[in-house]
Amino acid sequence: MNVRRTLFAVSLAGLLPVLASAQALPDGKDLIVKHVAAIGGRDAMDKHSSLHITGTFSMAAMGIEGPVHLYRAKPAKFLQQITIGSFGEAVQGFDGTTGWAVQPGQGAMVLSGEMLEQAKSQGDFFSDFPDVGKYSKIETLALEDFEGRKCYKVKLVKTAGGETIQYFDAETGLAAGVIRSTETQMGKMDVTVVLADYKDQGGVKMPSRVTQKTPQGDVTLTFSTYEWDKVEPTVFDLPADVKAMIKPY
C-alpha cells in the first residue's frame, strides 16, 4: 500500500467540496440582474414619476424615535425629513443639481465632494436598479452568512470611483444589504445597511425596514405607507437658508 499516495488522495478528497463551492459562485452581474427581476424589473419603476414614503425613525440604544418622510421623483430628486426626538428635524435633499442638508444645532449646508456624490446617488429614481455598465469591476467573493441569511458577497467598483460590498440573498435574489464607507459631517464612517421585509408596493418590491449599523449605534427606518405619483415639484425647492449659501454664476 502506498501510504503517501493514499494520504494525497484523502487530502484531495477533502478539498473537493471547497473547490466545488468556489466554482459554483455565480457571476456578480447575474446576481444584479436577478435582483432587478426579483423587485419587479426596471419597467415597473419606470411606470411611476414620483414616490412619497412615510414611516418611523428609531435609535433604540438612545431611546430616540420620530416620524420619517421620504420623497423621490424622476429623474434624480429626493428629500428626506427625519424628526430626531426632541433634538429636532434633520432634512437632506437633492434637487437635481444641488445637494444640501439642515441638521439640528448645525444649520444649513451645501454639500460638495463625496457627500454631494452620495446625495446624487440617493436622488437617482432608479438607484435600486443597478446599472452594470457603471462598474469597472463586479466580483462575487463568497457565499456567507449576512444578518442570519445565506448571501452572496459581491464587490462593486464604480468606474467613476468608489467601492462597496453588496450582499444578495441566495434564496430570493433580493439585495440583503451593503457595506460602504460614507462621508459625513463628522468625517468618514463605515456603515452596514441591512434591507429586510420586502413588500410589493405598486408593482415594485421594496424593503419596509432599513437598518444602518454605525459606530454610534443602530438606526432603523420602518416604512409604513407608499404613495405614488402625487409628489408636488415644489417639495424639492431649496430652503431659503440653502439658497442664500449658493454663489451666483
Side-chain angles (χ1 to χ4, degrees):
M1 180 179 181
N2 190 320
V3 175
R4 183 178 297 176
R5 184 180 300 171
T6 301
L7 290 175
F8 176 76
V10 171
S11 177
L12 182 60
L15 280 173
L16 286 176
V18 177
L19 294 173
S21 175
Q23 292 173 347
L25 290 177
D27 184 88
K29 291 182 181 179
D30 291 340
L31 290 171
I32 291 177
V33 170
K34 185 177 180 181
H35 159 74
V36 170
I39 61 177
R42 186 183 174 95
D43 287 346
M45 192 72 173
D46 203 24
K47 294 176 182 177
H48 302 290
S49 60
S50 67
L51 175 61
H52 175 205
I53 304 174
T54 63
T56 57
F57 158 93
S58 173
M59 282 190 73
M62 298 181 66
I64 299 173
E65 61 181 21
V68 171
H69 288 269
L70 176 61
Y71 301 86
R72 300 175 66 189
K74 283 181 177 177
K77 295 183 178 182
F78 94 97
L79 177 70
Q80 177 179 278
Q81 301 169 321
I82 300 178
T83 301
I84 309 175
S86 60
F87 292 94
E89 187 177 60
V91 188
Q92 186 173 350
F94 182 71
D95 68 349
T97 303
T98 302
W100 57 274
V102 180
Q103 302 288 354
Q106 298 180 26
M109 68 176 294
V110 175
L111 306 182
S112 61
E114 285 190 39
M115 292 181 71
L116 175 58
E117 292 306 311
Q118 290 166 192
K120 288 180 180 179
S121 179
Q122 285 180 280
D124 183 2
F125 197 65
F126 296 97
S127 58
D128 295 328
F129 300 77
D131 180 357
V132 296
K134 293 183 178 181
Y135 297 93
S136 61
K137 186 175 185 179
I138 302 175
E139 180 185 5
T140 307
L141 301 177
L143 174 64
E144 62 184 36
D145 288 330
F146 176 76
E147 298 297 318
R149 290 175 279 176
K150 282 291 183 183
C151 295
Y152 289 110
K153 180 180 181 181
V154 179
K155 180 179 180 180
L156 303 172
V157 181
K158 284 189 174 181
T159 303
E163 177 183 314
T164 60
I165 296 295
Q166 182 86 53
Y167 287 91
F168 294 97
D169 190 299
E171 182 178 351
T172 66
L174 296 167
V178 61
I179 298 176
R180 60 171 174 252
S181 180
T182 300
E183 187 70 32
T184 72
Q185 291 170 269
M186 297 179 290
K188 285 273 191 180
M189 180 184 298
D190 290 331
V191 176
T192 298
V193 180
V194 183
L195 310 174
D197 294 343
Y198 277 82
K199 296 178 182 178
D200 185 278
Q201 304 293 345
V204 182
K205 280 189 177 179
M206 295 185 170
S208 59
R209 189 173 75 250
V210 178
T211 301
Q212 295 185 17
K213 296 177 177 289
T214 74
Q216 287 72 37
D218 292 357
V219 176
T220 299
L221 301 178
T222 304
F223 302 121
S224 54
T225 67
Y226 298 73
E227 186 176 46
W228 294 96
D229 309 320
K230 293 184 179 181
V231 178
E232 293 293 333
T234 54
V235 165
F236 306 102
D237 288 351
L238 300 179
D241 289 353
V242 175
K243 283 183 180 179
M245 301 175 70
I246 299 176
K247 296 179 181 180
Y249 291 97

